[in-house]
Amino acid sequence: MRVGLAIPCFIDSFFPEVGIATLELLERLGVDVVYPQGQTCCGQPMANNGCNSAASGTEAHFARLFAGFDAVVMPSASCVNHLRKHMDAVPQTAEVQHLRANIYELVEFLHDVLNAREFPWAEFPHKVGLHNSCTALRSLHAASISEIDETTPFSKPMDLLAGVRGIAFVEPTRPDECCGFGGTFSVNEDAVSGLMGLEKVQDHARAGAEYIVSADTSCLMHQQGCARRAGLPLRFIHIAQILNGARA
């Protein structure tokens, strides 16, 4: 399988270590990974703000870069959700339809496509609280949702992290509540967003978390700022980094 690695623009700009960990992890697992040069935004910010036609340029550029791969992997649920379900500012050619049908968020690619469960190089002897983004939960169904009475609870991130030696999990009281980031919501409703983020990190801190781990760097970025302003000694790490063998 020839896989195109798409790194979201905010990760490329602010958290390149997450992109590097994603690449290294996929290669450790034997995936033939290609990182196309010249990547930019996927178009999600424009579409989310109702300017769908303004996303056509970035969507067309994304399609040109990633057409022809067997699959495309991104370490971001919201970007994948946009491309899979809302990439409609460009003509729906056969190449675009193939791309939309074969793009995966990192956790679902590891869990559902590779069926990866063992990470013998990974050890993380810390107490962690898992944060699943709203998009990962409610759009990509990365885990069962606490507000819905599902007969068989499941969690793809937990299935993967269970293969890491020494890791211990803590359980916040409101695990599936939004952290308040929400893209431009955090800009347009900054006071509400900040309070939601503060309550989220306080919940994890009370549960005894040393780290908050997530598959979504945007949520981590928001919560990291809230924790720093509140003086909470929490640390934040992307799931790709832990699965790739980061120790701290």
Side-chain angles (χ1 to χ4, degrees):
M1 179 184 292
R2 187 167 176 264
V3 169
L5 175 60
I7 298 300
C9 46
F10 69 95
I11 290 181
D12 183 49
S13 298
F14 301 117
F15 304 95
E17 65 275 15
V18 174
I20 293 170
T22 302
L23 171 63
E24 291 180 344
L25 176 61
L26 291 171
E27 290 181 336
R28 281 180 187 269
L29 293 167
V31 179
D32 179 14
V33 189
V34 176
Y35 178 82
Q37 297 292 326
Q39 298 185 31
T40 61
C41 175
C42 67
Q44 182 195 174
M46 290 78 86
N48 283 2
N49 283 281
C51 304
N52 199 51
S53 61
S56 61
T58 53
E59 289 185 3
H61 181 65
F62 192 96
R64 282 194 296 271
L65 285 181
F66 288 98
F69 287 102
D70 298 316
V72 175
V73 176
M74 295 186 81
S76 169
S78 61
C79 294
V80 167
N81 187 60
H82 169 70
L83 292 163
R84 181 184 293 169
K85 299 182 180 178
H86 307 292
M87 186 183 181
D88 51 16
V90 292
Q92 299 301 294
T93 63
E95 290 77 13
V96 169
Q97 292 180 47
H98 173 81
L99 173 61
R100 294 180 64 177
N102 291 281
I103 188 163
Y104 298 91
E105 185 274 326
L106 176 64
V107 166
E108 66 179 1
F109 184 75
L110 298 176
H111 189 280
D112 298 347
V113 179
L114 297 186
N115 198 30
R117 297 292 185 275
E118 297 180 356
F119 305 89
W121 51 81
E123 181 176 7
F124 200 73
H126 301 283
K127 294 180 180 178
V128 304
L130 174 64
H131 172 77
N132 292 313
S133 73
C134 296
T135 303
L137 281 176
R138 297 171 178 87
S139 296
L140 301 187
H141 306 295
S144 50
I145 309 169
S146 56
E147 67 260 29
I148 298 175
D149 186 17
E150 300 195 55
T151 55
T152 306
F154 68 97
S155 172
K156 296 177 185 179
M158 291 291 278
D159 287 347
L160 300 179
L161 290 168
V164 176
R165 293 193 310 279
I167 197 167
F169 299 98
V170 302
E171 181 72 13
T173 57
R174 295 168 2 205
D176 298 334
E177 193 168 281
C178 175
C179 71
F181 177 63
T184 53
F185 174 78
S186 63
V187 177
N188 298 326
E189 301 288 348
D190 58 315
V192 177
S193 170
L195 180 58
M196 293 171 71
L198 175 62
E199 291 182 347
K200 172 63 71 174
V201 295
Q202 287 176 331
D203 196 9
H204 279 278
R206 284 192 297 269
E210 300 172 63
Y211 281 84
I212 295 179
V213 59
S214 179
D216 272 84
T217 306
S218 54
C219 296
L220 291 178
M221 176 178 65
H222 174 62
Q223 293 178 48
Q224 187 173 27
C226 294
R228 183 181 299 130
R229 285 190 288 276
L232 294 173
L234 288 167
R235 288 175 282 183
F236 298 82
I237 191 166
H238 193 274
I239 190 171
Q241 295 171 278
I242 294 180
L243 297 177
N244 190 44
R247 298 298 177 90

